[in-house]
Amino acid sequence: MVNDKLNENPGMPAATACRLIGEYVGIDKNTVQNWVKQNHVDTGETPGVTTDEKQRVLELDKENHELRRANEILRKASAPFVQAELDRR
């Protein structure tokens, strides 16, 4: 909608278009501006981290957290066996 507004009014600043569209749909203009910026990144118009890349990083962070937790559980569970082996020597 912002792009349509800018195409209809070539001299209009993007901030104005975001404000107008935000008022029209009942969303804060800053939210609309953030969406427009992210859309430009996602479409390759501007450099940055795409939505897909952000999602992948979040998934990897979650997986990393789960693996660290599992590793800690295994480390604690194996401690008595390690101690028993050391005592046996």
Side-chain angles (χ1 to χ4, degrees), residues 62-82:
K62 182 179 177 182
E63 182 180 352
N64 190 17
H65 176 73
E66 291 171 3
L67 290 171
R68 287 179 188 270
R69 184 171 166 265
N71 196 20
E72 184 63 25
I73 290 169
L74 291 172
R75 186 177 299 119
K76 287 179 181 179
S78 67
F81 299 107
V82 171

Side-chain angles (χ1 to χ4, degrees), residues 23-85:
E23 290 172 358
Y24 178 74
V25 296
I27 298 173
D28 184 70
K29 70 173 182 152
N30 293 324
T31 301
V32 176
Q33 285 176 326
N34 289 338
W35 290 346
V36 169
K37 288 177 186 176
Q38 189 61 51
N39 183 46
H40 288 173
V41 171
D42 289 346
T43 59
E45 295 175 42
T46 58
V49 180
T50 66
T51 301
D52 290 340
E53 291 169 336
K54 286 180 185 178
Q55 183 62 37
R56 182 68 179 138
V57 168
L58 288 174
E59 290 170 5
L60 289 171
D61 283 346
K62 182 179 177 182
E63 182 180 352
N64 190 17
H65 176 73
E66 291 171 3
L67 290 171
R68 287 179 188 270
R69 184 171 166 265
N71 196 20
E72 184 63 25
I73 290 169
L74 291 172
R75 186 177 299 119
K76 287 179 181 179
S78 67
F81 299 107
V82 171
Q83 188 61 46
E85 183 65 26

